[in-house]
Amino acid sequence: MKIIVVGGTGTIGKAVVAELAKRHTVVVAGFSHGDVKVDIKDNASIDAMYKTVGKVDAVVSTVGKVHFGGFTEMTTELYSIGLQDKLMGQVNLVLRGLPHLNEGGSFTLTSGILSEDPIRFGSSASMVNGAIDSFVKASAIEMPRLLRINVISPTVLTESMDAYGDYFHGFESAPAARVALAYSKSVEGAQTGQIYKVW
Ligand SMILES: NC(=O)c1ccc[n+]([C@@H]2O[C@H](COP(=O)([O-])OP(=O)(O)OC[C@H]3O[C@@H](n4cnc5c(N)ncnc54)[C@H](OP(=O)(O)O)[C@@H]3O)[C@@H](O)[C@H]2O)c1
């Protein structure tokens, strides 16, 4: 298969690329690194990425920013960061990617544990992750040409504990290599509309 991993230079993305590259041709897309550059907040940039890469059998997204901050300090603008980046960035990767996926191909998006297991300062992440999970369940039933779509919902990564560990006391982390297996299942399996929880 020819697979594009958007965010393939990141903590999760690198592990996903390492897993999938064992068996497939992987094109790595990133914001400032990778085989091809893309800004998921900009539809013209997404279109340019798909044009450069050509037809693919799978699109994997391991991207998305949200603002972490106390609930009473949140604003419309701060929520908008996550809505425009992690949520609509990934939704637009799907919408703009439809014509570029070969029949029977797949989309795999990324959400996260906070949709169901919230932490302090994480209201935007919880909101956006829940929306992504719901988008995947709903869009799966209307996908044309036998296309599939799933989402991976990871817990905090072991590799990210230095950066985020203080937010996640009491959570069990998962190594990136284990999280990457869920992406493999989504891309190489046959299921659709699934939320793969790696918790
Ligand atoms: N890390 C965790 O513990 C964890 C747990 C659960 C869920 N998640 C979710 O998993 C996703 C990835 O997290 P991560 O920790 O792997 O992130 P990361 O290490 O910061 O990597 C982010 C990746 O996204 C790319 N990127 C950043 N902004 C972009 C943009 N506007 N357009 C296109 N690509 C962009 C980066 O490219 P460059 O390298 O070129 O900048 C990089 O490849 C996020 O949605 C996060 O919420 C993470």
Side-chain angles (χ1 to χ4, degrees):
M1 275 192 261
K2 181 176 171 186
I3 302 167
I4 181 163
V5 179
V6 183
T9 58
T11 308
I12 295 179
K14 273 189 285 194
V16 172
V17 170
E19 179 61 33
L20 293 175
K22 293 175 189 168
R23 295 172 292 281
H24 305 285
T25 303
V26 177
V27 180
V28 176
F31 185 70
S32 48
H33 311 92
D35 304 320
V36 54
K37 311 288 184 298
V38 64
D39 181 357
I40 58 161
K41 299 188 298 305
D42 177 0
N43 279 340
S45 173
I46 293 174
D47 290 346
M49 174 192 75
Y50 281 128
K51 194 170 172 216
T52 302
V53 174
K55 292 261 183 184
V56 293
D57 301 296
V59 175
V60 174
S61 165
T62 57
V63 286
K65 290 192 182 70
V66 299
H67 178 80
F68 281 85
F71 170 62
T72 56
E73 275 86 52
M74 288 298 287
T75 61
T76 305
E77 290 72 26
L78 291 175
Y79 278 121
S80 183
I81 294 169
L83 295 175
Q84 294 311 316
D85 193 302
K86 185 165 179 174
L87 177 58
M88 287 314 298
Q90 295 196 87
V91 168
N92 287 327
L93 281 175
V94 174
L95 292 177
R96 318 295 287 197
L98 285 170
H100 301 278
L101 260 190
N102 291 324
E103 179 159 331
S106 67
F107 295 101
T108 304
L109 306 186
T110 300
S111 59
I113 191 172
L114 300 183
S115 58
E116 292 187 36
D117 204 355
I119 58 171
R120 276 187 210 94
F121 308 124
S123 66
S124 176
S126 293
M127 176 171 72
V128 164
N129 289 343
I132 295 165
D133 289 350
S134 295
F135 168 75
V136 163
K137 281 199 280 186
S139 60
I141 66 171
E142 292 194 63
M143 277 287 162
R145 299 186 299 114
L146 300 174
L147 301 181
R148 300 182 299 108
I149 183 167
N150 298 300
V151 56
I152 314 306
S153 176
T155 185
V156 63
L157 267 75
T158 306
E159 289 81 350
S160 301
M161 284 302 272
D162 280 350
Y164 309 140
D166 276 345
Y167 292 101
F168 285 93
H169 291 301
F171 283 70
E172 192 174 344
S173 69
R178 180 169 157 241
V179 172
L181 294 177
Y183 290 83
S184 162
K185 186 190 282 186
S186 173
V187 170
E188 300 176 282
Q191 299 177 11
T192 191
Q194 299 300 307
I195 302 165
Y196 294 118
K197 298 173 179 173
V198 189
W199 294 1

